[in-house]
Amino acid sequence: MRFKDVFSIIGPAMVGPSSSHTAGAARIGRLARQLFGAMPARADVIFYGSFAATYIGHGTYSAIVGGLLDMETDDIRLPDSLRIAAEAGILVEVQTGKGLFPHPNTAELRLYRKNEEEPSFTIVGTSIGGGNIEIVSVDGFKVKLTGQYPTLVIWHTDSPGMIAEVTRLLQEEGINIGYMSVDRKNRSGQAMMAIETDQAISAELLEKLNGYPGIQAIRLVK
């Protein structure tokens, strides 16, 4: 195998046992928490493939819940995350899924706010090896997020000039776009941009974006 970097060999700093099944799961949970914007009152976790077969033995369940509690991959509290979540009054239910899934290590999270009967946020993430992840779906939009770079996720109306205006504001701030994915549910309906950048996103830029007509919500992953 061609050598890429030291990280490819040693993996992330983590609480074990597995970079894919533990560290990757924690990162999926933590990124979901950042995109949700708050601590969920309830979380439904659905595991697919290898995750579904080994989530108990590899600590995948406690890792993903730890991520939802905003724990890093090397947080020593990860093995106790289920108890910590229960003490905080967070209801977490786990199940194994069937059917098609994008990667052998796939998790779907459905997050609820207080007093909600239906989830207000859904995310599908995959653990692709060495603790690296890809988020492939957010609220039903097909996107690609790695969590390795500052990332803007923007819910907006599908309208002419929206993408151009967002990229113009980034350019004015001297921010380079490393990767961008865009999806919409229907013409002139709801749409989403996911933009990974090379530079940090300032609070001032977030304020400008939040004030732009047609933008419904913004989350910053960093």
Side-chain angles (χ1 to χ4, degrees):
M1 183 177 72
R2 186 177 179 182
F3 175 75
K4 294 174 64 178
D5 51 42
V6 174
F7 181 81
S8 300
I9 298 175
I10 64 174
M14 67 173 187
V15 175
S18 169
S19 59
S20 294
H21 288 66
T22 315
R27 284 181 168 161
I28 291 171
R30 190 165 186 267
L31 201 149
R33 160 72 180 268
Q34 291 182 334
L35 290 175
F36 190 57
M39 183 84 75
R42 172 184 163 190
D44 295 338
V45 181
I46 303 97
F47 289 125
Y48 296 87
S50 180
F51 269 3
T54 64
Y55 72 89
I56 297 176
H58 281 169
T60 308
Y61 186 23
S62 59
I64 211 163
V65 172
L68 286 172
L69 294 171
D70 208 27
M71 296 179 188
E72 299 275 8
T73 58
D74 59 351
D75 195 310
I76 61 173
R77 299 172 298 164
L78 276 175
D80 295 321
S81 64
L82 299 179
R83 176 184 58 80
I84 295 170
E87 290 176 352
I90 302 169
L91 175 63
V92 183
E93 296 186 357
V94 65
Q95 57 184 286
T96 56
K98 298 180 180 179
L100 297 175
F101 44 88
H103 187 276
N105 302 326
T106 295
E108 177 182 354
L109 284 78
R110 302 170 185 170
L111 306 185
Y112 301 71
R113 301 187 189 279
K114 190 175 181 180
N115 298 323
E116 284 184 340
E117 295 296 327
E118 298 294 330
S120 57
F121 179 80
T122 61
I123 188 170
V124 177
T126 64
S127 179
I128 60 175
N132 297 301
I133 66 169
E134 286 184 359
I135 302 302
V136 298
S137 175
V138 176
D139 278 348
F141 294 102
K142 294 180 181 179
V143 295
K144 180 181 176 181
L145 310 176
T146 67
Q148 294 182 352
Y149 306 96
T151 304
L152 281 171
V153 180
I154 303 175
W155 289 256
H156 62 92
T157 302
D158 178 39
S159 59
M162 179 65 73
I163 295 173
E165 185 63 17
V166 170
T167 56
R168 180 188 67 80
L169 290 171
L170 290 171
Q171 187 271 331
E172 288 180 353
E173 295 289 326
I175 294 175
N176 188 55
I177 296 174
Y179 184 84
M180 181 176 184
S181 56
V182 180
D183 192 23
R184 65 181 183 180
K185 293 188 175 177
N186 48 63
R187 184 180 298 179
S188 300
Q190 287 188 315
M192 175 176 285
M193 292 182 232
I195 306 172
E196 292 186 341
T197 66
D198 292 335
Q199 292 81 25
I201 306 296
S202 67
E204 291 77 16
L205 177 57
L206 285 176
E207 186 175 353
K208 288 180 183 178
L209 289 168
N210 272 311
Y212 192 81
I215 290 181
Q216 299 154 354
I218 300 176
R219 292 287 185 267
L220 176 61
V221 177
K222 53 185 179 178

